[in-house]
Each structure stands twice: as structure tokens, then as C-alpha cells.
Amino acid sequence: TCQYLGSKDQQQIGNFIVNCIQEKKNKAFQEKCFSFKDVNHENEDYLTTIRQFEFLAWREGEDSPTSVQPMLDMLEAVNRWQPHLADNKPVLIHCESGFHRSGVVAVLLNEVHRIQANKGQINIVESVKTMKQRNKDIVQSP
């Protein structure tokens, strides 16, 4: 099940104590940092931090964002943060419906990393095809 992580108050979700430890908001997106402590490991320093980027400039029901720059700003913020991740840490991307808009963000982030790794070579069509094999609804098709 999904649980909304919007509260600034400490909350328990399943086996985790969740705290919002940082929040930044601008016109395009909101960035929140949460700490998760496993209640089954109370005697240990077992803490995980998750950073959430919520894109505000592309509302549910809209075919595309009203402007490209807010999306680029958020992608840049995600890329600035990603080097702090270990290689085995996934990035969670979500939107209200759970696909389409978040799928577009996933494809764009994948292509940014492909550009960095392959000296400018991108293949958006191949990325979408590969991602659609995993989840056919990841991006909306006509």
C-alpha cells in the first residue's frame, strides 16, 4: 500500500518511524527529505534517508507541462542529488496516477545518464521501448 508522506509531524508507517527533516519549495517542484527508522532495529543506528521531488508544474489531466524550463530545473536538482546515492540505491519516481508523468521523468533521467555515460549518445525511442516492456503504461501512447 502507498502512504502519503506529506506530514511534517513524525508518523509511524508500518515498521518505520518517518520524519520530514527538510523541505524546499519553489514554483516548479517541491523537494522533501525524510528519515526512516526501522522500529525493529531501535537499538541500532539503522536510519535511511529518502529525498522526494514532487513536480508541481504538470498537473493531473494535462497532456504536457505548460513550460519546459520547470522540468529541466527539477531534473537538474535530481541530478545534483543523485551522486550522493550508492550504486545499489534506486530512485523512486511517482505522480498522482502512478505512471505517464512519472514515466516521462524516468525516461528523461535515463537519457541524461545515457548522455553522461556515452559521450552525448541518446536513444529516447529505445529507452521508452525498454521501459514499456517492464510497464506498458509507463508513458502514455496515442
Side-chain angles (χ1 to χ4, degrees):
T1 61
C2 291
Q3 175 75 34
Y4 177 68
L5 298 177
S7 174
K8 288 186 179 183
D9 299 326
Q10 178 175 293
Q11 54 188 321
Q12 183 163 348
I13 301 172
N15 291 333
F16 295 95
I17 302 294
V18 182
N19 283 301
C20 181
I21 56 178
Q22 182 184 27
E23 186 174 351
K24 295 184 219 172
K25 187 174 183 177
N26 63 37
K27 292 179 185 176
F29 65 95
Q30 179 169 273
E31 183 178 341
K32 291 182 181 178
C33 188
F34 296 94
S35 67
F36 285 73
K37 182 163 179 59
D38 189 333
V39 296
N40 296 321
H41 295 91
E42 285 190 36
N43 297 331
E44 301 172 32
D45 190 22
Y46 192 81
L47 190 68
T48 298
T49 302
I50 294 177
R51 189 164 303 266
Q52 171 188 348
F53 295 88
E54 180 181 359
F55 191 54
L56 305 171
W58 189 0
R59 304 261 182 240
E60 182 72 29
E62 294 176 346
D63 290 335
S64 61
T66 55
S67 173
V68 174
Q69 191 59 51
M71 176 69 78
L72 295 174
D73 293 343
M74 188 186 77
L75 293 174
E76 182 180 351
V78 171
N79 277 327
R80 273 196 315 267
W81 173 72
Q82 268 191 306
H84 301 287
L85 295 175
D87 288 337
N88 63 347
K89 299 285 185 182
V91 174
L92 173 65
I93 301 169
H94 73 89
C95 61
E96 190 174 339
S97 65
F99 50 93
H100 302 314
R101 291 173 294 147
S102 53
V104 169
V105 172
V107 168
L108 292 173
L109 286 170
N110 187 64
E111 290 308 304
V112 167
H113 291 286
R114 189 188 301 248
I115 289 169
Q116 293 166 343
N118 297 322
K119 300 179 181 152
Q121 299 295 315
I122 65 170
N123 191 337
I124 293 174
V125 172
E126 189 60 36
S127 287
V128 171
K129 282 181 181 178
T130 300
M131 290 181 181
K132 278 185 161 283
Q133 288 174 352
R134 294 182 200 140
N135 179 344
K136 66 179 177 63
D137 294 323
I138 194 159
V139 290
Q140 196 167 10
S141 300

